[in-house]
Amino acid sequence: MSWQIEKILAERLDSETGYYKYPFGTRHAMAICYPNTYEVGMSNLGMQIIYREVNRREDWLCERAFLPDKQLAKWYAKEHTPLLTLENHRPLCDFEIVGLSVNFEMDYFNVPAILEQGHVPVLAAERKDTDPLVVMGGPVAFFNPEPLTPFVDVCMVGEGEQMIHAFLEAYMKGTEQGLGRRELLAALAQVPGIYVPALYRHEYGEDGQLIRIVPEAGAPLQVERQWQELSAPGETVVSTPYTEFGAMYLIEIARGCGRHCRFCMAGYCYRRPRVRSLEYVKEAVLRGKRLGKKIGLMGAAISDYPQIDELVTFIRQEGMAFSCASLRADSITPAIVKGLAESGQKTITLAPEAGSAHMRDIINKGITEEHLMHSIDLATAAGIRHVRMYIMIGLPMETDEDITGIVDMTRRVRQHMAAIGNTGKLTLSINPFIPKPCTPFQWMAMTHKKVVEKRLEHIKKALGRDKQIEILAEPLRQCYIQGVLSRGDRRVGELLVLAHRYGGVKGWKRAASELHFDTEQFLYEARPVGTLLPWSVLDMGLVQGYLEHELEQARKGAYTIPCFEGCRRCQVCGGT
């Protein structure tokens, strides 16, 4: 084992507060891994919450591991050392359970890499009774885990704060009974929310379409997604300066969103909307204050928090700065922008998603240009000069006129900024629409890459002369790989296996060629409503036909009002 690797890991741990470290061998052992670097992974609040839940038990310890950054990767390669955990510097293969927190499609390529570096057999089918059980959580696990099923033994479908305890209890019971791996997996499959991919056989027709999913060994016909009230703490557990949000103390003030944006996976799979009490959030703010941190408010729509004005006023009265994710232009308030400005924020981020009213009706965004202009007025009055707007192109039913609408809206926003004396920069962050599972657009085709390139070039050309307008766009190649991974089936998993052998994402094209894998079929062909989808075994709690109804509403450009108390439309909250 390299002393240099141990030195770097020890220095990183010494920079933290709030971590747990128990003598290895005194408890059952679980490692939780984020398939990206420490800087990225430690910005993820969900991973920290599970880390806390396991370590607060008396019978388990949980340690962390991350994909090595460039500095560590050189030492690992030089010393031929397996990937080590942060706390006790143990290789992943020493743990009973290896947990994976997977949140983004491009991290799929890092899943086999981190297992291989930890000396855990990469393929689930090749693991023996003595090998760790590989368990996946995070949004990917309950949206569409199928592309990663070659690598994982168990998926946790839903929010894990309580489910992790039920899972660990079932695991210990099975191991105490001396169950072999196959029998243990069958027992775990009986835990609500636990999906064991190996117990479901996927059958395809001659045309390559998925025609049947067959449960085996007593596995349930469907796995019900688990959710919970926000009773467990939802704030930074381990504080470290070495993250993307190193100066912030993160506090989840709400979970879920009831706005019904038809493209948004989180809005459908994190229902129902729940908020934390103002009393709890204030206490969490004070905990962040004791650490000398800036407050980072987390949630799908921060400005929708019922007591947001009182909260930001409290934060500022405590002499603290705060920040938050993008705001909804129709619920932003003077108190929010005043507090952000006093906290040093220079840019207000808004997400109209589309330029034309026609397109915003289709996606059910519920934002008007008047909302945008009002938000910019408030921000400018508070001293925030720069504006960033998130825009998608290639949305379902989009026309050339809708692209012109993006240009026209941007010009009107820029003109409005000038008219009120705001000389700041207007940034458009433009990305292609990617259809997501468990949304009304899950059946839709992705707009062809050449069309998106043409439309993006049109926007750049039309707005490029204005030096006060900046256009940012994610590399399209990655977006179209994400498009395949997002709605992929187990054949996409085979593609990931081969791509891993060829170096990960850089081996994607070669692997697809060798497997004669038609990525365009996954991207550009609409899926008939009613067809069997790879994730059909996962039950999000939506009443049958609800997503189909919302797709039809999109075609009509009809508005669906937000969730309200007593609403029973989608039936996630129960009732009829």
Side-chain angles (χ1 to χ4, degrees):
M1 185 182 300
S2 167
W3 69 269
Q4 187 65 37
I5 294 173
E6 285 202 349
K7 178 174 179 288
I8 293 171
L9 294 178
E11 289 174 349
R12 191 164 284 174
L13 196 68
D14 287 344
S15 72
E16 297 181 343
T17 59
Y19 65 85
Y20 296 82
K21 184 177 178 180
Y22 302 107
F24 199 85
T26 60
R27 300 173 172 216
H28 292 284
M30 173 180 173
I32 186 168
C33 307
Y34 195 94
N36 209 307
T37 62
Y38 176 90
E39 181 184 30
V40 176
M42 284 305 296
S43 300
N44 182 269
L45 192 55
M47 177 184 175
Q48 293 203 31
I49 289 172
I50 298 302
Y51 173 77
R52 179 203 63 219
E53 287 297 315
V54 178
N55 277 310
R56 288 174 68 178
R57 296 174 61 99
E58 295 182 352
D59 48 358
W60 281 86
L61 62 82
C62 184
E63 303 190 4
R64 293 163 291 152
F66 304 88
L67 196 73
D69 55 27
K70 289 183 179 180
Q71 179 193 21
L72 271 172
K74 290 179 181 178
W75 285 107
Y76 275 116
K78 182 178 180 180
E79 302 295 333
H80 304 288
T81 301
L83 183 68
L84 304 176
T85 57
L86 199 58
E87 285 78 4
N88 277 306
H89 308 164
R90 307 290 297 202
L92 298 184
C93 55
D94 282 358
F95 291 81
E96 294 174 63
I97 295 174
V98 171
L100 295 166
S101 178
V102 189
N103 295 264
F104 305 107
E105 284 95 350
M106 294 309 292
D107 284 344
Y108 290 14
F109 295 95
N110 297 331
V111 167
I114 205 168
L115 292 174
E116 186 173 73
Q117 291 178 46
H119 288 191
V120 175
V122 170
L123 299 180
E126 295 179 357
R127 294 183 195 126
K128 300 179 175 60
D129 287 355
T130 53
D131 290 318
L133 198 70
V134 178
V135 181
M136 181 170 69
V140 167
F142 56 100
F143 294 159
N144 177 24
E146 296 307 322
L148 288 175
T149 54
F151 313 113
V152 301
D153 298 303
V154 171
C155 301
M156 300 185 69
V157 182
E159 299 161 33
E161 292 99 318
Q162 293 176 358
M163 192 175 13
I164 186 65
H165 298 293
F167 167 77
L168 292 176
E169 295 294 334
Y171 170 83
M172 289 191 296
K173 182 178 179 180
T175 54
E176 288 168 2
Q177 292 174 346
L179 299 182
R181 195 177 194 88
R182 181 77 177 181
E183 293 75 20
L184 176 62
L185 290 173
L188 292 172
Q190 304 307 313
V191 178
I194 297 299
Y195 172 53
V196 179
L199 301 184
Y200 294 84
R201 188 175 73 252
H202 286 216
E203 298 178 355
Y204 300 87
E206 293 182 0
D207 60 355
Q209 298 300 313
L210 180 65
I211 59 173
R212 194 175 298 109
I213 301 177
V214 182
E216 299 175 335
L221 290 173
Q222 285 203 302
V223 178
E224 294 184 3
R225 178 256 193 208
Q226 303 296 296
W227 63 272
Q228 63 176 62
E229 298 295 344
L230 301 186
S231 53
E235 60 195 271
T236 291
V237 176
V238 179
S239 180
T240 170
Y242 301 115
T243 76
E244 291 183 301
F245 307 122
M248 290 190 194
Y249 190 82
L250 303 179
I251 304 173
E252 182 191 45
I253 65 172
R255 187 178 298 176
C257 179
R259 291 287 193 156
H260 298 247
C261 296
R262 295 177 178 124
F263 60 87
C264 181
M265 188 164 60
Y268 282 86
C269 294
Y270 280 106
R271 288 190 187 174
R272 62 184 171 92
R274 290 145 287 161
V275 299
R276 296 188 184 274
S277 71
L278 181 62
E279 180 183 5
Y280 165 79
V281 177
K282 284 182 176 181
E283 291 172 353
V285 167
L286 296 178
R287 286 188 282 272
K289 182 179 182 178
R290 288 193 285 272
L291 292 172
K293 294 284 189 175
K294 180 179 181 179
I295 297 300
L297 301 179
M298 307 293 288
I302 297 300
S303 51
D304 281 354
Y305 184 72
Q307 296 158 297
I308 187 63
D309 283 359
E310 186 177 347
L311 173 59
V312 299
T313 300
F314 173 79
I315 293 171
R316 293 302 302 140
Q317 287 175 344
E318 290 294 324
M320 302 180 68
F322 77 97
S323 183
C324 56
S326 64
L327 301 163
R328 278 196 64 96
D330 59 347
S331 58
I332 196 168
T333 69
I336 295 173
V337 291
K338 181 176 182 290
L340 289 172
E342 291 174 350
S343 299
Q345 190 155 319
K346 305 298 184 184
T347 302
I348 185 171
T349 302
L350 306 169
E353 310 293 0
S356 68
H358 163 258
M359 200 70 250
R360 289 194 295 273
D361 288 343
I362 288 173
I363 65 176
N364 205 58
K365 186 62 187 180
I367 296 290
T368 66
E369 282 195 22
E370 288 73 21
H371 291 135
L372 292 176
M373 304 307 182
H374 178 63
S375 298
I376 293 168
D377 288 344
L378 293 177
T380 303
I384 298 176
R385 316 296 292 178
H386 304 299
V387 178
R388 177 189 289 260
M389 296 195 302
Y390 288 125
I391 298 290
M392 286 189 291
I393 57 176
L395 283 158
M397 296 161 262
E398 181 182 80
T399 66
D400 289 341
E401 287 72 25
D402 294 313
I403 300 302
T404 301
I406 295 172
V407 173
D408 293 343
M409 179 190 71
T410 303
R411 286 174 175 161
R412 287 191 292 271
V413 168
R414 185 73 203 98
Q415 289 165 3
H416 182 77
M417 291 172 66
I420 60 176
N422 185 337
T423 58
K425 179 167 286 188
L426 173 59
T427 300
L428 292 188
S429 181
I430 305 177
N431 292 297
F433 162 75
I434 299 172
K436 297 291 185 178
C438 308
T439 70
F441 291 158
Q442 65 181 356
W443 297 280
M444 305 300 282
M446 195 169 176
T447 300
H448 200 284
K449 183 180 177 183
K450 291 182 179 179
V451 175
V452 169
E453 287 173 337
K454 181 180 178 181
R455 291 178 174 174
L456 183 58
E457 188 59 34
H458 172 77
I459 295 171
K460 289 179 177 179
K461 185 176 180 180
L463 300 173
R465 294 180 181 177
D466 191 330
K467 301 303 181 183
Q468 293 300 105
I469 297 176
E470 178 185 32
I471 298 176
L472 304 176
E474 189 177 348
L476 290 185
R477 178 176 180 267
Q478 287 193 13
C479 295
Y480 280 82
I481 292 176
Q482 291 176 47
V484 176
L485 297 175
S486 173
R487 299 183 298 166
D489 57 22
R490 295 189 175 185
R491 293 169 298 181
V492 176
E494 296 170 8
L495 176 56
L496 280 172
V497 170
L498 190 56
H500 169 66
R501 295 174 188 167
Y502 294 148
V505 66
K506 65 182 180 182
W508 174 263
K509 187 174 181 179
R510 178 182 173 186
S513 176
E514 289 192 12
L515 292 174
H516 305 288
F517 187 92
D518 184 3
T519 57
E520 292 197 356
Q521 180 184 12
F522 278 79
L523 292 170
Y524 304 140
E525 293 183 11
R527 306 182 186 191
V529 172
T531 191
L532 185 65
L533 298 168
W535 51 91
S536 294
V537 73
L538 307 183
D539 181 5
M540 294 299 113
L542 299 167
V543 66
Q544 187 174 2
Y546 182 78
L547 293 179
E548 292 89 335
H549 170 74
E550 279 298 304
L551 177 59
E552 187 58 33
Q553 291 290 89
R555 292 191 170 113
K556 296 175 182 176
Y559 182 59
T560 296
I561 64 172
C563 296
F564 56 89
E565 190 66 32
C567 169
R568 294 293 183 268
R569 289 169 296 173
C570 72
Q571 296 189 22
V572 165
C573 302
T576 56

